[in-house]
Amino acid sequence: MVKVTFIHPDGRQEQHEGSDGQSVMRVATSNLVDGIIGECGGDLSCATCHVFVDEVSWRTLPPKTPEEDDMLAVTAVEPTEFSRLCCQIKCSESLDGIVVHIPKAQR
Ligand code: FES
């Protein structure tokens, strides 16, 4: 299992476990994490799974695809260099302990 820590805009933190291959978006929605909607179910067509990845965790992530990059242009909150769509982040051993910050709005 892969531990994922979600940090809310008010500083609250919650940690959940994901299975290998499960997206961070699914870890969030299956644990009813506020602020991660995942409206399209991971099809890269809604951008309601926007997160800011912690700087240390960022280094362990595979690069974004051009399609993810395109969708990051329509997030509700201005993206930063650490923005990702967490439906595209798949849990794996190398990502164990990943920390993501939830933006103030998703739409
Ligand atoms: S869940 Fe829709 S783009 Fe990630």
Side-chain angles (χ1 to χ4, degrees):
M1 296 301 267
V2 176
K3 288 189 178 63
V4 183
T5 299
F6 298 91
I7 302 180
H8 293 271
D10 64 3
R12 275 181 307 120
Q13 296 188 17
E14 53 186 298
Q15 190 177 69
H16 299 287
E17 291 190 333
S19 52
D20 200 41
Q22 186 178 30
S23 73
V24 169
M25 179 275 284
R26 285 287 180 213
V27 176
T29 56
S30 62
N31 287 286
L32 306 178
V33 173
D34 272 349
I36 303 288
I37 300 170
E39 195 166 78
C40 75
D43 287 343
L44 264 186
S45 59
C46 73
T48 62
C49 60
H50 180 203
V51 292
F52 303 108
V53 179
D54 179 80
E55 201 173 331
V56 173
S57 304
W58 179 263
R59 294 187 208 123
T60 64
L61 288 180
K64 286 176 277 190
T65 62
E67 292 78 14
E68 182 181 352
D69 227 8
D70 286 349
M71 283 307 292
L72 280 166
V74 298
T75 52
V77 171
E78 186 80 18
T80 71
E81 63 181 306
F82 299 109
S83 286
R84 294 295 301 257
L85 295 177
C86 67
C87 67
Q88 301 302 301
I89 303 174
K90 306 293 185 211
C91 291
S92 68
E93 203 175 304
S94 64
L95 293 186
D96 190 29
I98 186 171
V99 177
V100 299
H101 297 259
I102 300 171
K104 285 189 175 140
Q106 292 285 11
R107 49 178 154 197

